[in-house]
Amino acid sequence: MKLYPLVLALLCSTFLLAQNKKPESVTISGKIIEEGSNIPLEYATVSFTNAQGKVANGGITDTNGMYSLKVPPGIYTVKYEFISYETKEVPNKQLRKDTTLPTVALALDTESLDEVVIRAETTEVQVRLDKKIYNIGKDLTTSGATVSDALNNVPSVNVDVEGAISLRGNENVRILINGKPSAIAGFGSTDALRQLPAEAIERVEVITSPSARYDAEGTAGILNIILKKEKTLGLNGSISANIGVPTSSGISGNINLRTDNFNIFNTTSVRYRDAPGNAFFDNQYFPTTFTDPDTGEEVTTDPTFDRVIEDRDYDRLNRGFNTNLGIEYFLTDRSSITASGFLRLGDDEDLTTNNARKFSNGVLQETTVREEFETEEDVSYQLSLNYVNNFDDNGHKLTADFQYENDSEEQRSFITEQRLIPSAFDFPSEDILTYEDQEEFLIQADYVLPLGENAQFEAGYRGNFENEVTDYNLNQENNNGVFVRNDTLSNIFDYTENVNAVYTQYGNKFGKFSFLLGLRLENTQLKGEIQSNLDEDAFSEALGVDIDTNFDKNYLGLFPTVNLIYELAERENITLGYNRRINRPRGWFINPFPSRSSVTNVFQGNPDLDPAYASAFDLGYLKRWKKITLTSSIYYQHETDSFERIQEQTGQVINGVNVVRTIPINLSTNERYGFEAGILYNPLKWLRLNGSFNYFTFKSDGSFNSIEYGTENNSWFARASAKVSLPWKIDWQTNGFYRGPQNNAQTESEGILSINLAFSKDIMDDNGTIGVNVSDLLNSRKRNSLTVTDSFISDSEFQWRQRSVNLSFTYRFNQKKQRQRSRDQQGGNGDDEGGDFEG
């Protein structure tokens, strides 16, 4: 019996010791936001200092302004800091168990605005699991320029002399505005980006390994252009004007009114630009052999002219108006609804003059002058409705979007051609009238659910419903000088593309390792209906493929995505991404009726085109030092049924010249692999340098009409920029770009060098900025190409726009330059597609 009290005492002692045993560490979490706007502050720092004055632990906030750190139990002074914001300290905080601290709001530190301005002028980069984010910053060379010009300064991106945008050398890139397809970017083209002012851009997201939340379209990846939307309380805005040589002028303004209950924003711009260009073609034609359909025998014909030299002058007059008006209403502290409308008007006049000299056996036989006068009127508008509900401060979020877009275009081309030698003669003229009307509906919903401390689940739906009607009328002059409609080639092409998609993805973080796994299911319906008087069998034979002018194709595909990131250190990580993508043929790639850039040079769509599919891998590395940021990656892509545009003679002769047709086809395979690196370096307060380099190899394999079109291309491009802050608030910036030689199945192109130069000076207490920039300083942005086929050789030089000089002035009211700082990189309501997962 005496043992019982002893046992009881031992048990009680053990229990009490266990109760008094302190945990080794506790988890402290919370959120940091900006005072006034309640915007989460990314990369804000939080630290815990104990009674002995030693920092027990510290860290930075994620994209949602959240932090979570482990510290030993005790009493601490908690310190919150962010560049250009006032520091806050909370002393004597007892932290003895897992605790979620109250949300902390930091206010701007007005005494540090000079430091903010310097930071704002630097293009910065952030890395996510599925993208890189580039803050455009204060790029002097884009003052008075367009969005298309600004994109050409983003690493990995290239905008060629005709405005075609490519990502790592691949033109099949998807352009999004604020995370969604938009009339602002143009329907199926990038022409609209040449009309929008570059000042409208907040940042550009380069998404080479898109997660499942994004549309699977675009085998190269996605460029997501985030437009500016002021987040500061009160009335603020800016106005910019520019004038240049060759003749160009424009004025753009933005105004923003934000209260506690709503945010009204508007951006409006007017542009007038004369864009002269030129081209030179030296074409040699060889005898062609074809099979006579009646006798089955091979017949060889000699060209009327075996050499044609063309000098072309382009005089393009572009007039445009853009406006975007929206209102964001805050339903509660956590939810809002945004309604916006966008309108774009275009009125263009282009005159192309082609002076041709035609030879036979080295002897000049004929000279001609051909003129094409083209007018184009565009009206595009977009209506959007966006709803956002943030259920809590931890990222639990629901967004819903509805968008309607309409684009109508009327294009008229009048083509005349005169022979001067050996005797004056007028060839029959052509009058071409094209009407295009396209409308698109977008319905989208995304749901984000955090799971525990580091995990996140996401799911969503997107429906894109697009219809395009092209009414093409070709009127040709007869012998009596009367224009008669060509009923064989005139047609109405009705094209529909419907895409329904659902996706889900899950991400988590274990220590220094984060992952994001996703799966997207997409159903694509491509429908085409042609109203014409053409003989389908004869047309199929002429085209070289079996076609159905009324088609209805349906494709169902799974698109998995894998994105991994491992933090080697606080400012160093490696990433690995895999994704499967699709390239859907656009309407003009499918329309089999030829469109005429000239009487003897036609583009013809191919209704037999199928979508191309690509699988891509990307291995990246990021390292930040105090003054240097290095990004690099190695990538590989394998594409099946890839598109290739090939040129061939049709056997038809007009005005003594063989007609050459360009047609897109499905090649069997396409492989692309390469390496890229970028560096941002600020060695001194007054000097900022950045550069990037991209090298890639491209291999294709396939045949068409018994001709092999396989090829291998090794190419590269590089860009460098230097910005110097001179005394008296003067800045000087120089940008250089070089694209190395490249080739495809038939064409070899020489390298292209381009240099831009700019100066700016702040005036009027830094509320105004005056600048001057020179685009293409050496007037060297020209494409020199050599095309070789069995039937002809073409040596050409093409310059889309000559060297230009631009003078600009910007005035800001209640909108200091620090509004461009890096804190705005996470985007506000409706700015992004889905939620970011960063682990």
Side-chain angles (χ1 to χ4, degrees):
M1 295 296 294
K2 294 182 178 180
L3 291 176
Y4 291 139
L6 179 60
V7 172
L8 182 61
L10 288 173
L11 289 174
C12 290
S13 300
T14 303
F15 176 75
L16 291 174
L17 287 172
Q19 288 294 94
N20 291 330
K21 183 179 180 180
K22 295 182 180 179
E24 294 183 0
S25 64
V26 294
T27 300
I28 310 301
S29 58
K31 183 176 184 178
I32 305 177
I33 62 175
E34 180 189 58
E35 186 177 289
S37 68
N38 294 333
I39 297 169
L41 292 179
E42 182 180 10
Y43 289 125
T45 60
V46 56
S47 60
F48 299 86
T49 304
N50 60 24
Q52 289 73 39
K54 294 183 179 181
V55 177
N57 198 2
I60 61 175
T61 56
D62 63 14
T63 183
N64 297 312
M66 307 295 297
Y67 64 88
S68 180
L69 298 167
K70 293 184 182 296
V71 296
I75 300 176
Y76 294 95
T77 296
V78 187
K79 189 175 183 180
Y80 303 92
E81 296 177 287
F82 189 59
I83 185 171
S84 78
Y85 286 77
E86 294 177 355
T87 299
K88 275 192 176 182
E89 290 187 0
V90 180
N92 302 321
K93 196 71 176 177
Q94 295 192 26
L95 303 175
R96 303 192 183 279
K97 61 180 180 178
D98 293 350
T99 305
T100 299
L101 295 177
T103 298
V104 173
L106 299 183
L108 273 172
D109 183 359
T110 55
E111 295 181 359
S112 66
L113 292 186
D114 290 340
E115 179 183 4
V116 175
V117 170
I118 293 171
R119 183 177 176 84
E121 293 170 352
T122 305
T123 300
E124 297 182 4
V125 58
Q126 294 185 32
V127 173
R128 296 287 184 273
L129 275 166
D130 57 352
K131 61 191 170 188
K132 292 184 180 72
I133 302 173
Y134 293 94
N135 232 21
I136 296 300
K138 185 187 174 186
D139 191 334
L140 305 184
T141 62
T142 61
S143 177
T146 68
V147 170
S148 183
D149 298 324
L151 288 177
N152 208 30
N153 292 335
V154 175
S156 305
V157 180
N158 181 25
V159 182
D160 71 9
V161 294
E162 294 179 275
I165 299 172
S166 62
L167 182 59
R168 292 174 168 174
N170 187 347
E171 291 186 6
N172 184 225
V173 56
R174 179 73 155 165
I175 307 294
L176 301 178
I177 302 293
N178 293 338
K180 304 171 187 68
S182 173
I184 300 176
F187 292 97
S189 72
T190 57
D191 293 342
L193 298 180
R194 298 181 187 174
Q195 299 183 23
L196 294 173
E199 290 84 356
I201 298 179
E202 173 66 38
R203 66 183 187 273
V204 176
E205 299 178 346
V206 179
I207 311 173
T208 53
S209 184
S211 67
R213 77 168 62 103
Y214 292 100
D215 182 7
E217 171 70 30
T219 56
I222 296 172
L223 290 180
N224 186 19
I225 301 170
I226 305 298
L227 302 181
K228 291 178 180 177
K229 185 171 67 173
E230 188 61 41
K231 305 174 180 68
T232 304
L233 291 173
L235 178 68
N236 53 78
S238 66
I239 186 168
S240 300
N242 67 278
I243 187 169
V245 178
T247 305
S248 70
S249 60
I251 185 169
S252 66
N254 71 81
I255 190 169
N256 196 98
L257 174 62
R258 186 183 180 107
T259 70
D260 291 331
N261 297 321
F262 62 85
N263 183 25
I264 299 176
F265 50 93
N266 173 254
T267 301
T268 299
S269 65
V270 180
R271 294 184 61 82
Y272 180 97
R273 172 181 273 191
D274 186 9
N278 58 84
F280 172 82
F281 296 86
D282 187 351
N283 303 319
Q284 299 181 53
Y285 300 95
F286 309 129
T288 57
T289 301
F290 64 95
T291 302
D292 191 310
D294 297 325
T295 64
E297 297 180 354
E298 288 191 348
V299 179
T300 300
T301 61
D302 292 323
T304 304
F305 304 107
D306 56 19
R307 186 181 184 189
V308 178
I309 298 177
E310 302 178 13
D311 284 294
R312 297 184 189 177
D313 288 316
Y314 303 96
D315 188 7
R316 307 181 190 89
L317 182 60
N318 308 124
R319 291 164 290 204
F321 170 83
N322 301 274
T323 187
N324 181 39
L325 175 65
I327 179 170
E328 179 181 11
Y329 182 74
F330 304 101
L331 302 172
T332 68
D333 291 339
R334 299 184 183 276
S335 64
S336 68
I337 187 168
T338 303
S340 63
F342 170 78
L343 174 67
R344 175 168 61 88
L345 305 176
D347 184 10
D348 301 339
E349 295 180 2
D350 297 345
L351 176 63
T352 303
T353 304
N354 187 3
N355 293 280
R357 292 171 289 162
K358 304 175 183 179
F359 299 83
S360 180
N361 295 322
V363 178
L364 178 64
Q365 301 290 335
E366 185 174 287
T367 62
T368 59
V369 177
R370 177 183 176 275
E371 289 188 341
E372 178 180 1
F373 182 69
E374 179 182 294
T375 60
E376 182 177 317
E377 294 183 1
D378 299 279
V379 178
S380 298
Y381 63 90
Q382 172 184 299
L383 303 174
S384 303
L385 197 63
N386 168 261
Y387 170 76
V388 177
N389 190 349
N390 294 288
F391 297 102
D392 56 31
D393 294 329
N394 299 319
H396 189 193
K397 183 177 181 180
L398 172 67
T399 61
D401 294 274
F402 173 79
Q403 191 167 282
Y404 172 76
E405 307 169 2
N406 184 276
D407 183 30
S408 60
E409 177 182 299
E410 179 180 328
Q411 185 182 87
R412 184 162 195 165
S413 299
F414 190 76
I415 302 173
T416 62
E417 187 169 2
Q418 295 179 310
R419 185 179 67 194
L420 306 178
I421 296 175
S423 59
F425 177 77
D426 291 337
F427 292 104
S429 301
E430 291 187 348
D431 188 7
I432 304 171
L433 185 61
T434 305
Y435 297 96
E436 291 187 14
D437 187 80
Q438 179 170 320
E439 64 177 6
E440 182 174 349
F441 292 89
L442 168 70
I443 302 173
Q444 179 177 330
D446 297 280
Y447 177 71
V448 181
L449 176 65
L451 300 172
E453 184 178 346
N454 293 319
Q456 179 174 293
F457 169 81
E458 185 175 343
Y461 163 80
R462 170 184 280 188
N464 268 89
F465 310 99
E466 178 184 336
N467 178 255
E468 178 182 354
V469 178
T470 303
D471 189 348
Y472 179 83
N473 291 276
L474 173 60
N475 300 286
Q476 296 174 309
E477 186 179 16
N478 62 17
N479 294 331
N480 298 321
V482 178
F483 284 88
V484 179
R485 186 176 187 268
N486 185 321
D487 291 327
T488 300
L489 294 181
S490 298
N491 68 92
I492 298 177
F493 181 46
D494 191 332
Y495 176 69
T496 299
E497 178 182 299
N498 296 326
V499 180
N500 285 280
V502 293
Y503 79 92
T504 183
Q505 61 184 19
Y506 173 77
N508 206 337
K509 179 178 181 180
F510 300 98
K512 296 184 177 182
F513 175 73
S514 304
F515 67 86
L516 184 61
L517 309 177
L519 184 64
R520 189 178 186 92
L521 175 68
E522 287 195 354
N523 176 258
T524 302
Q525 183 187 37
L526 305 179
K527 294 176 60 178
E529 180 180 349
I530 298 178
Q531 301 176 27
S532 69
N533 296 324
L534 87 107
D535 184 331
E536 189 170 299
D537 293 335
F539 200 66
S540 296
E541 182 178 343
L543 194 61
V545 294
D546 294 328
I547 66 168
D548 183 1
T549 54
N550 297 318
F551 57 88
D552 187 348
K553 299 182 178 181
N554 203 289
Y555 306 90
L556 184 66
L558 279 173
F559 301 91
T561 62
V562 178
N563 287 286
L564 313 174
I565 185 169
Y566 183 76
E567 299 174 9
L568 300 173
E570 181 180 343
R571 303 169 65 87
E572 183 180 17
N573 62 56
I574 56 174
T575 58
L576 176 64
Y578 163 78
N579 65 91
R580 186 171 186 255
R581 311 285 295 166
I582 185 174
N583 182 10
R584 304 180 186 96
R586 306 298 301 176
W588 66 288
F589 256 43
I590 293 179
N591 190 345
F593 285 87
S595 60
R596 296 167 179 252
S597 59
S598 72
V599 177
T600 57
N601 226 319
V602 301
F603 177 88
Q604 196 163 15
N606 179 2
D608 198 46
L609 272 184
D610 291 321
Y613 294 89
S615 293
F617 298 85
D618 187 289
L619 178 63
Y621 173 75
L622 168 71
K623 173 68 174 177
R624 300 176 192 268
W625 293 270
K626 185 176 180 180
K627 296 183 178 182
I628 302 176
T629 298
L630 170 68
T631 60
S632 61
S633 64
I634 300 172
Y635 55 90
Y636 170 79
Q637 182 185 87
H638 183 271
E639 185 173 353
T640 58
D641 289 330
S642 58
F643 303 160
E644 180 76 28
R645 280 178 281 190
I646 59 105
Q647 291 180 303
E648 61 181 8
Q649 290 199 31
T650 64
Q652 185 182 9
V653 178
I654 297 180
N655 299 345
V657 179
N658 292 331
V659 176
V660 175
R661 171 181 61 197
T662 300
I663 180 174
I665 62 172
N666 284 114
L667 283 180
S668 57
T669 61
N670 177 327
E671 287 187 302
R672 183 186 301 269
Y673 51 89
F675 165 79
E676 68 176 354
I679 188 167
L680 306 174
Y681 181 37
N682 296 344
L684 301 167
K685 183 178 179 180
W686 52 268
L687 177 62
R688 288 164 292 281
L689 307 170
N690 70 69
S692 63
F693 175 82
N694 191 304
Y695 175 86
F696 60 88
T697 294
F698 170 86
K699 294 181 179 180
S700 62
D701 179 30
S703 62
F704 180 71
N705 286 346
S706 301
I707 299 177
E708 290 289 334
Y709 288 101
T711 187
E712 180 173 346
N713 173 32
N714 298 295
S715 189
W716 59 279
F717 60 87
R719 56 169 48 85
S721 175
K723 186 173 182 182
V724 179
S725 296
L726 301 172
W728 304 293
K729 296 183 179 180
I730 297 176
D731 286 329
W732 164 28
Q733 182 172 325
T734 302
N735 287 2
F737 174 82
Y738 181 78
R739 193 207 69 190
Q742 62 181 13
N743 64 276
N744 60 21
Q746 295 177 309
T747 303
E748 295 182 359
S749 300
E750 297 179 6
I752 297 177
L753 172 67
S754 178
I755 297 177
N756 298 335
L757 184 67
F759 293 88
S760 78
K761 176 174 173 53
D762 293 331
I763 57 177
M764 305 170 68
D765 293 329
D766 292 344
N767 290 314
T769 301
I770 187 170
V772 60
N773 68 69
V774 182
S775 178
D776 194 11
L777 178 67
L778 304 179
N779 202 35
S780 56
R781 193 170 172 81
K782 304 176 182 180
R783 183 183 62 204
N784 291 278
S785 302
L786 177 65
T787 300
V788 179
T789 73
D790 292 337
S791 56
F792 71 93
I793 295 176
S794 178
D795 190 0
S796 64
E797 179 181 274
F798 179 79
Q799 184 177 28
W800 176 261
R801 193 169 192 262
Q802 300 170 9
R803 175 178 48 222
S804 61
V805 181
N806 186 78
L807 176 67
S808 64
F809 171 73
T810 300
Y811 177 76
R812 297 169 290 274
F813 58 95
N814 298 332
Q815 191 182 74
K816 296 294 183 180
K817 292 200 292 185
Q818 69 269 17
R819 301 306 178 203
Q820 301 176 20
R821 60 189 174 274
S822 63
R823 68 172 180 88
D824 288 339
Q825 287 179 342
Q826 49 268 6
N829 294 338
D831 281 359
D832 229 330
E833 186 181 90
D836 281 328
F837 175 78
E838 191 178 38

